């Protein structure tokens, strides 16, 4: 089982992820957290996450625009494989 552990390396600088991404497939997720919005973006083994106080924050909108232009897939939730089909 130990070989099944996968790691995402979290970085704090959005521009680094945007440059690293190139044409790689990516995913993003928006989470509500006590009135704030958290965005998480992953491409390859690199991830970025940040919380914003408002949905109209210019950096958040820039990140969402990037995700849409690069056709990243929005993730709504996650489940273990064995729990997906019942």
């Amino acid at each position: 089982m130990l070989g099944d552990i996968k790691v995402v390396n979290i970085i704090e600088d959005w521009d680094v992820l945007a440059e690293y991404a190139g044409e790689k497939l990516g995913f993003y997720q928006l989470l509500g957290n006590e009135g704030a919005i958290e965005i998480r973006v992953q491409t390859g083994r690199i991830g970025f996450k940040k919380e914003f106080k408002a949905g109209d924050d210019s950096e958040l909108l820039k990140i969402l625009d990037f995700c849409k232009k690069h056709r990243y897939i929005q993730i709504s939730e996650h489940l273990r494989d064995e729990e997906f089909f019942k």
Side-chain angles (χ1 to χ4, degrees):
M1 285 309 242
L2 198 54
D4 292 336
I5 297 173
K6 296 180 182 171
V7 175
V8 175
N9 297 300
I10 306 296
I11 60 174
E12 294 182 7
D13 186 342
W14 167 252
D15 292 328
V16 171
L17 186 137
E19 184 177 330
Y20 168 82
E23 296 301 316
K24 294 179 182 72
L25 174 64
F27 303 91
Y28 72 101
Q29 184 176 39
L30 293 169
L31 302 167
N33 188 9
E34 296 180 10
I37 298 171
E38 180 179 7
I39 188 165
R40 296 179 180 202
V41 182
Q42 179 185 350
T43 183
R45 295 186 56 190
I46 301 295
F48 172 85
K49 65 180 187 172
K50 187 170 181 176
E51 192 171 282
F52 297 91
K53 293 182 181 179
D56 62 352
D57 184 283
S58 62
E59 184 179 13
L60 174 60
L61 296 175
K62 178 177 98 171
I63 294 168
L64 285 171
D65 184 56
F66 175 91
C67 291
K68 290 175 184 172
K69 283 182 179 173
H70 285 79
R71 301 178 61 97
Y72 279 21
I73 298 168
Q74 184 173 4
I75 303 298
S76 59
E77 63 180 299
H78 63 273
L79 295 171
R80 297 180 59 86
D81 287 348
E82 62 269 12
E83 295 174 0
F84 185 73
F85 291 111
K86 296 186 180 217

